[in-house]
Amino acid sequence: KNSVKIIGDNTDKYCQAYFSYDSKKSGGFTCSHLRFGDNPIRSTYLVTTPDFVACHVQAYLRLYDVTKGLKKNGTFLLNTVWSAEEVKKNLPDNVKKYFAQNNITLYIINATMIAQEIGLGNRTNTILQSAFFKITNVIPFDLAVEQMKKFIVKSYGKKGEDVVNKNNAAVDCGTEFEKVEIHAEWARI
């Protein structure tokens, strides 16, 4: 929600967000549909052909169709404990094939490890939000960082300086992603 607010408040872009949650809500599956662009958004609907997909739980690669509708030349961000070489070995074949056939740019980040190292436990969303802003450059990254940190103070300020500092560190760590080469032979899997 904060990403759409940041984009909407700091650009001339039109924005819309829709979220679907499973019954567990906290700790369960969430699918966020964020739309923004230069033209007015005149209808409410799910995003069925995204330019960018982020998968925050690597197990979802085998549980859900995480590439469904991802546009040709799109971008995929994966939170994973795998190294780049392990990703190349462990990605499901259908995902590899889709990436290769559609010229998808793949980035990985180990937000799980980063969150644990900075004391956020399993809370990876701020790290991944920061990575989204850095990768997409939908607004200047410095502005995105400034706005994310304002939201952190607003959201967590009453919980103390330590919580704010950990979340600010999460924003700063969002650049610790790497691009993974997509092999042409994956298209023939």
Side-chain angles (χ1 to χ4, degrees):
K1 292 178 184 177
N2 287 350
S3 297
V4 168
K5 289 178 186 177
I6 290 169
I7 295 165
D9 290 346
N10 292 281
T11 70
D12 292 333
K13 294 192 180 300
Y14 296 91
C15 299
Q16 180 187 72
Y18 178 81
F19 307 92
S20 57
Y21 308 92
D22 75 6
S23 59
K24 287 196 297 187
K25 187 136 176 166
S26 181
F29 178 81
T30 301
C31 188
S32 303
H33 297 262
L34 310 180
R35 296 174 62 211
F36 43 89
D38 298 326
N39 299 316
I41 299 169
R42 301 199 187 282
S43 179
T44 58
Y45 56 88
L46 301 179
V47 177
T48 57
T49 55
D51 295 297
F52 180 94
V53 170
C55 181
H56 291 207
V57 180
Q58 78 181 34
Y60 290 171
L61 291 168
R62 297 193 187 279
L63 296 173
Y64 302 101
D65 185 359
V66 294
T67 61
K68 185 176 182 179
L70 179 57
K71 286 183 182 175
K72 191 172 191 73
N73 303 313
T75 302
F76 193 93
L77 172 63
L78 176 63
N79 174 29
T80 181
V81 298
W82 297 327
S83 68
E85 285 307 310
E86 291 170 322
V87 164
K88 292 174 187 177
K89 292 176 189 170
N90 292 309
L91 275 179
D93 286 347
N94 63 314
V95 174
K96 287 180 182 177
K97 185 173 186 173
Y98 192 90
F99 287 173
Q101 289 180 339
N102 292 282
N103 195 37
I104 303 302
T105 302
L106 172 62
Y107 294 95
I108 61 169
I109 187 168
N110 192 342
T112 303
M113 180 192 68
I114 293 167
Q116 290 171 352
E117 287 177 351
I118 60 179
L120 287 176
N122 63 354
R123 294 175 189 87
T124 61
N125 284 350
T126 302
I127 299 161
L128 292 159
Q129 178 188 36
S130 180
F132 160 77
F133 278 116
K134 182 68 174 177
I135 291 167
T136 64
N137 203 32
V138 67
I139 63 173
F141 184 64
D142 291 343
L143 176 59
V145 167
E146 175 188 316
Q147 294 300 311
M148 285 185 283
K149 289 183 177 183
K150 279 184 185 177
F151 273 100
I152 287 167
V153 171
K154 184 178 177 183
S155 298
Y156 303 114
K158 292 180 181 174
K159 294 187 178 192
E161 188 176 341
D162 184 54
V163 173
V164 169
N165 290 340
K166 287 176 182 177
N167 279 278
N168 284 339
V171 170
D172 297 335
C173 291
T175 60
E176 295 180 21
F177 56 83
E178 68 177 293
K179 189 174 180 180
V180 177
E181 179 186 359
I182 304 297
H183 295 282
E185 65 266 15
W186 291 358
R188 296 181 296 279
I189 289 178

